[in-house]
Amino acid sequence: MTSIVMDTSSLISLEMIRVLEKVPQVAKVVVPLAVKGELEEMAEYGDKEGKAAKGVIGRIKTASIELRSVKNGTKVASLLSKNVNPGEAECFVCCLENGIKLLVMDDVDAAYTLEGPAIEAGIKIKISVAVLVELYKKRLMTKNELENFIKSLIKIREWEGGVLEVLAGRYLKNV
């Protein structure tokens, strides 16, 4: 089974539309400790993201999402910038250290900043919509469900008029 590393934003996205529970049927989900820390911070709030963070933490506790520690702190530190936070940097290093070739993140600025190093390392960066498409391809949802989940994600995550809405549309068009 393919392993994927997911950042906080993509985990929250899929949990908010109640699809994260299906992902282990198509891929082994791996997250670094910094992502768990970000989720724990978010879970302290009672808003929709906080509620979703609690759900993701529950999945980590039941081991449907695997938690891994990152060893190369120097590499993590070298990736930090105004666009790349510790969670995203650890996700990238987690891919490197574990030979995982797919990084799922819904942060456009971080993805853009990490694109060069990712290409060099043979790591593909995709948004959470790619996971929905994979679930559809494995017949774990219908085309209609896929379309509705994407529409719901765009609305709930407030992607209207932005890059993520455009990217989501491209994924849907290529199905």
Side-chain angles (χ1 to χ4, degrees):
M1 179 176 285
T2 304
S3 291
I4 61 175
V5 174
M6 295 182 71
D7 80 337
T8 305
S9 60
S10 62
L11 292 164
I12 294 295
S13 292
L14 295 180
E15 181 67 16
M16 287 176 89
I17 60 168
R18 296 179 172 36
V19 175
L20 187 59
E21 64 193 29
K22 293 182 180 193
V23 178
Q25 295 176 60
V26 295
K28 180 180 186 179
V29 180
V30 176
V31 299
L33 292 173
V35 166
K36 183 177 183 239
E38 290 176 359
L39 290 164
E40 288 169 342
E41 278 182 39
M42 292 176 77
E44 293 178 20
Y45 297 92
D47 60 4
K48 59 187 179 184
E49 286 86 1
K51 289 176 184 154
K54 285 177 186 156
V56 178
I57 291 166
R59 295 182 197 295
I60 292 169
K61 285 180 180 169
T62 63
S64 67
I65 295 174
E66 187 176 318
L67 192 59
R68 297 226 182 128
S69 58
V70 171
K71 293 163 190 63
N72 192 342
T74 305
K75 181 67 175 171
V76 171
S78 76
L79 295 169
L80 296 175
S81 70
K82 67 179 171 79
N83 293 331
V84 179
N85 71 29
E88 294 149 352
E90 277 199 15
C91 283
F92 185 81
V93 175
C94 186
C95 284
L96 290 174
E97 290 181 353
N98 295 284
I100 298 172
K101 297 298 180 186
L102 182 57
L103 172 55
V104 180
M105 60 172 45
D106 285 349
D107 185 306
V108 177
D109 294 330
Y112 180 76
T113 302
L114 293 170
E115 184 179 29
I119 290 169
E120 286 176 26
I123 297 168
K124 290 184 180 170
I125 299 177
K126 297 189 176 189
I127 63 172
S128 57
V129 172
V131 177
L132 296 175
V133 170
E134 196 58 33
L135 288 165
Y136 165 72
K137 286 180 180 176
K138 299 286 185 185
R139 298 191 176 156
L140 294 168
M141 68 176 63
T142 65
K143 175 95 182 240
N144 190 46
E145 287 173 320
L146 172 65
E147 290 170 355
N148 288 334
F149 279 130
I150 291 173
K151 285 178 190 168
S152 181
L153 195 54
I154 289 167
K155 185 173 174 59
I156 289 170
R157 297 297 273 160
E158 299 173 359
W159 292 352
E160 297 99 337
V163 174
L164 289 172
E165 181 181 26
V166 172
L167 291 174
R170 285 185 189 161
Y171 277 104
L172 194 54
K173 214 181 286 184
N174 292 326
V175 173

